[in-house]
């Protein structure tokens, strides 16, 4: 109200000042730039679309489920609706139909000709439309307005040992924020289910807005003696994350924008996305469901692989020196396999080619750090690892994934603490999983409940019939 009055009067009051007064600066945006207004206009048509789809095709089969699929981590079973992105095994991820190079060409940027800002991607993920510069700027403003992290959160973090893994700290920090859930409060008040999405939107945008601050708090208390850096009111969401962590190099800010864009979403079946979706389907609020997803991202076969890659690279250089030849690298890869470990950063459950997120980061490195020795090592590995993995005959995709490259970029800019890397992945992943969470509630998707079976049931189902007498 006050914000509108101020706008009408044309008073030059800053966003921060209004925010400090508890006013909604977002109300200053127009119908075209206010994300929630745009979404609310889209939702009825999408609900109708889903209803028609169910009516026309609901009983049709999407294919066979084999015993291998049931015991093999449900690979290949289409069992979920996920609107924000789709993964093609050969081509890689598309966000609402747009490839990574297309995002780089089309989304608004913070610097002329630079990397996309994740706020533009968030608009795209939620609405399916590429935002104008003004729409992306309105998201930046909305997130800035929502970004305050209440003081109890740092107190909760400070109750943890300093060496608590940063991913555990992220999960605990998000749970400490949960007391502010608008959805949980609305549910308790008995809100009608058609209105669920509205408070899920509020929670999701609040959480996305607060995550850079929370991540930076974790970083500063774990690695920088606890001295916190206040957000800059002139920086975008991802630029501010780098700034609050203590990094100001313009290249580092661009890297963070690119990093936060490309890690955001990878369709619905991966562990973090699926977990967030599953937990949200029980009407657990966005804080509860995202924290659950982050606990999955913290697994070494999923998001923690970016940390594992760096450890593996450090061990490699400790053993072979900073400039090993390819033969020595080949032997090191073979030794990793022989010791019963995976080569981190390689392979994928769905992809069957080099991950375009790897390629995007490689191109960034070629532009910003072509002579960096660690980049050279990662490039050498690209020439050696797929061949060694391929020779095992069992690995379906010997090519590098996103995690094989991200740590090198972070190391270059001085972010050397690899245990923190998965937190940066997690902040980005919020954009995808929470966008889908808003749509899941808007579309009224039901509680998830796939069927499980015992070995006994499977054995009996396919047992040879007794010989007829
Ligand atoms: C991502 C990953 C979990 C996918 O697993 P998956 O879908 O089971 O992959 P595959 O079907 O190709 O696996 C077949 C076999 O190859 C192995 N394999 C796959 N990738 C491997 C790798 N990078 N190094 C060593 N072995 C690997 C699997 O462990 C499996 O072995 P098993 O039959 O002895 O159990 C797997 O490739 C992996 O562990 N990669 C390393 C961790 C990583 O980078 N994770 C991030 C993914 S974005």
């Amino acid at each position: 109200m006050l914000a509108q009055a101020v706008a009408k009067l044309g008073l030059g009051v800053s966003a921060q000042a209004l925010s400090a007064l508890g006013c909604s600066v977002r109300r200053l945006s127009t119908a075209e730039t206010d994300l929630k207004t745009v979404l609310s206009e889209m939702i009825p048509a999408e609900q109708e679309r889903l209803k028609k789809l169910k009516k026309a095709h609901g009983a049709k089969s999407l294919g066979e489920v084999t015993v291998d699929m049931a015991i093999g981590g449900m690979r290949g079973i289409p069992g979920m609706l996920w609107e924000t992105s789709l993964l093609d095994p050969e081509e890689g991820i598309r966000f609402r139909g747009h490839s990574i190079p297309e995002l780089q060409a089309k989304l608004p940027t913070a610097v002329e000709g630079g990397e996309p800002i994740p706020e533009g991607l968030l608009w795209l993920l939620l609405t399916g439309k590429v935002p104008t510069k003004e729409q992306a700027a309105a998201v930046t403003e909305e997130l800035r307005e929502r970004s305050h992290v209440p003081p109890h959160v740092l107190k909760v973090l400070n109750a943890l040992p300093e060496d608590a893994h940063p991913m555990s700290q992220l999960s605990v920090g998000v749970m400490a924020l949960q007391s502010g859930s608008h959805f949980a409060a609305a549910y308790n008040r008995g809100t009608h289910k058609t209105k669920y999405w509205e408070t899920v939107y509020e929670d999701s945008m609040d959480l996305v807005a607060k995550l850079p601050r929370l991540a930076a708090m974790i970083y500063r208390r774990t690695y920088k003696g606890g001295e916190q850096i206040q957000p800059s009111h002139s920086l975008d969401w991802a630029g501010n994350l780098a700034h609050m962590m203590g990094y100001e190099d313009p290249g580092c800010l661009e890297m963070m924008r690119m990093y936060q864009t490309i890690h955001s979403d990878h369709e619905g079946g991966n562990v973090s996305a699926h977990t967030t979706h599953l937990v949200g389907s029980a009407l657990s609020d966005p804080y509860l469901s995202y924290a659950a997803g982050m606990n999955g991202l913290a697994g070494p076969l999923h998001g923690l692989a970016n940390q594992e890659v760096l450890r593996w690279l450090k061990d490699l250089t400790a053993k072979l020196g900073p400039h090993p030849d390819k033969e020595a690298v080949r032997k090191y890869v073979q030794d990793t396999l022989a010791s019963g470990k995976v080569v981190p950063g390689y392979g994928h459950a769905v992809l069957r080619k080099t991950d375009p997120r790897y390629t995007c980061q490689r191109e960034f490195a070629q532009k910003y750090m072509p002579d960096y020795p660690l980049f050279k090592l990662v490039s050498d590995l690209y020439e050696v690892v797929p061949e060694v993995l391929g020779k095992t005959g069992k690995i379906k995709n010997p090519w590098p994934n996103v995690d094989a490259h991200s740590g090198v970029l972070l190391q270059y800019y001085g972010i050397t603490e690899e245990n923190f890397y998965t937190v940066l992945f997690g902040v980005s992943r919020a954009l995808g999983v929470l966008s889908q969470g808003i749509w899941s509630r808007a579309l009224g998707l039901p509680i998830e409940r796939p069927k499980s079976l015992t070995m006994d049931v499977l054995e009996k189902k396919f047992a040879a019939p007794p010989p007829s007498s």
Side-chain angles (χ1 to χ4, degrees):
M1 282 298 161
L2 180 58
Q4 275 166 337
V6 167
K8 259 189 195 161
L9 292 169
L11 299 177
V13 178
S14 72
Q16 302 95 283
L18 286 171
S19 228
L21 289 168
C23 300
S24 176
V25 185
R26 191 157 57 85
R27 288 181 200 162
L28 292 172
S29 45
T30 65
E32 289 79 44
T33 60
D34 186 75
L35 185 48
K36 195 171 187 183
T37 307
V38 172
L39 260 182
S40 66
E41 281 159 6
M42 290 177 64
I43 285 171
E46 290 299 290
Q47 287 170 335
E48 203 45 42
R49 191 173 156 211
L50 184 64
K51 225 191 258 172
K52 272 196 191 146
L53 181 70
K54 269 184 81 173
K55 197 164 171 216
H57 306 297
K60 293 180 184 159
S61 169
L62 281 172
E64 195 186 8
V65 178
T66 64
V67 175
D68 266 349
M69 287 159 115
I71 61 183
M74 297 194 278
R75 263 174 197 62
I77 302 177
M80 199 191 310
L81 203 61
W82 193 271
E83 290 293 282
T84 47
S85 66
L86 188 66
L87 183 57
D88 180 273
E90 305 292 321
E91 212 189 69
I93 193 67
R94 278 184 180 267
F95 303 85
R96 293 278 189 178
H98 302 270
S99 68
I100 288 174
E102 285 166 2
L103 292 187
Q104 288 175 308
K106 292 178 190 170
L107 287 180
T109 59
V111 292
E112 189 72 29
E115 296 294 333
I117 51 167
E119 295 92 313
L121 179 77
L122 181 57
W123 182 287
L124 174 69
L125 292 173
L126 276 167
T127 67
K129 295 186 187 77
V130 173
T132 61
K133 226 178 156 61
E134 291 70 32
Q135 287 167 329
V139 177
T140 300
E141 200 49 48
E142 178 172 351
L143 294 177
R144 187 173 296 143
E145 186 195 342
R146 293 172 180 270
S147 64
H148 175 70
V149 172
H152 76 268
V153 175
L154 187 56
K155 281 191 199 151
V156 170
L157 291 178
N158 282 338
L160 296 172
E162 259 163 39
D163 63 355
H165 193 281
M167 281 304 283
S168 305
Q169 297 191 49
L170 177 66
S171 185
V172 168
V174 172
M175 292 319 302
L177 284 167
Q178 190 271 342
S179 55
S181 170
H182 297 284
F183 175 77
Y187 191 85
N188 282 340
R189 285 195 304 272
T191 297
H192 194 278
K193 61 184 177 185
T194 53
K195 300 220 170 289
Y196 286 168
W197 80 268
E198 294 177 10
T199 44
V200 167
Y201 176 90
E202 296 299 324
D203 282 356
S204 300
M205 293 300 279
D206 278 353
L207 185 48
V208 168
K210 293 172 200 314
L211 278 170
R213 187 92 177 98
L214 175 59
M217 270 178 187
I218 294 167
Y219 184 74
R220 301 290 306 176
R221 83 170 282 270
T222 307
Y223 305 111
K224 304 289 172 189
E227 195 198 331
Q228 301 295 330
I229 299 172
Q230 292 308 307
S232 153
H233 291 289
S234 58
L235 275 173
D236 53 295
W237 180 80
N240 233 332
L241 169 56
H243 160 77
M244 288 186 286
M245 285 172 63
Y247 299 91
E248 305 292 350
D249 183 318
C252 183
L253 268 58
E254 278 292 272
M255 184 271 299
M256 197 61 90
R257 291 170 187 127
M258 180 273 290
Y259 186 113
Q260 293 296 319
T261 299
I262 66 169
H263 284 79
S264 59
D265 208 23
H266 218 224
E267 74 170 27
N270 66 77
V271 171
S272 54
H274 186 193
T275 307
T276 309
H277 184 73
L278 168 70
V279 176
S281 82
L283 297 186
S284 305
D285 64 56
Y287 297 91
L288 294 165
S289 48
Y290 169 76
M294 288 304 98
N295 291 340
L297 193 75
L301 295 188
H302 188 24
L304 204 78
N306 59 10
Q307 165 190 310
E308 295 303 293
V309 167
L310 239 292
R311 286 198 178 157
W312 186 76
L313 289 177
K314 281 184 177 171
D315 183 63
L316 186 159
T317 43
K319 285 191 176 128
L320 307 178
H323 309 290
D325 65 37
K326 283 189 191 158
E327 261 327 295
V329 170
R330 182 172 285 113
K331 170 86 174 49
Y332 181 80
V333 176
Q334 286 163 342
D335 289 348
T336 301
L337 292 179
S339 66
K341 292 186 229 146
V342 294
V343 177
Y346 280 77
H348 200 272
V350 180
L351 273 171
R352 293 297 174 255
K353 286 269 168 69
T354 297
D355 191 337
R357 299 171 299 175
Y358 175 93
T359 310
C360 167
Q361 295 179 99
R362 180 172 165 74
E363 285 166 5
F364 188 94
Q366 280 164 332
K367 185 171 165 192
Y368 285 90
M369 57 196 81
D371 303 322
Y372 184 41
L374 205 55
F375 172 48
K376 172 144 187 353
L377 176 60
V378 165
S379 302
D380 286 350
L381 284 163
Y382 192 24
E383 288 173 29
V384 171
V385 178
E387 182 206 320
V388 178
L389 292 182
K391 278 192 181 144
T392 66
K394 67 171 183 177
I395 294 167
K396 294 192 190 70
N397 171 27
W399 300 105
N401 59 56
V402 66
D403 300 315
H405 216 303
S406 52
V408 174
L409 308 184
L410 296 166
Q411 290 276 321
Y412 179 77
Y413 289 111
I415 306 170
T416 54
E417 304 86 356
E418 68 261 15
N419 282 16
F420 188 73
Y421 291 178
T422 314
V423 173
L424 294 174
F425 189 159
V427 172
S428 170
R429 191 42 61 98
L431 301 173
V433 299
L434 295 174
S435 295
Q436 177 55 44
I438 294 167
W439 273 107
S440 297
R441 299 290 75 77
L443 294 172
L445 298 184
I447 188 165
E448 261 194 21
R449 191 16 175 128
K451 178 84 187 95
S452 65
L453 300 165
T454 61
M455 282 204 270
D456 198 37
V457 165
L458 290 171
E459 283 160 354
K460 284 186 183 141
K461 187 173 173 68
F462 299 108
S468 50
S469 51

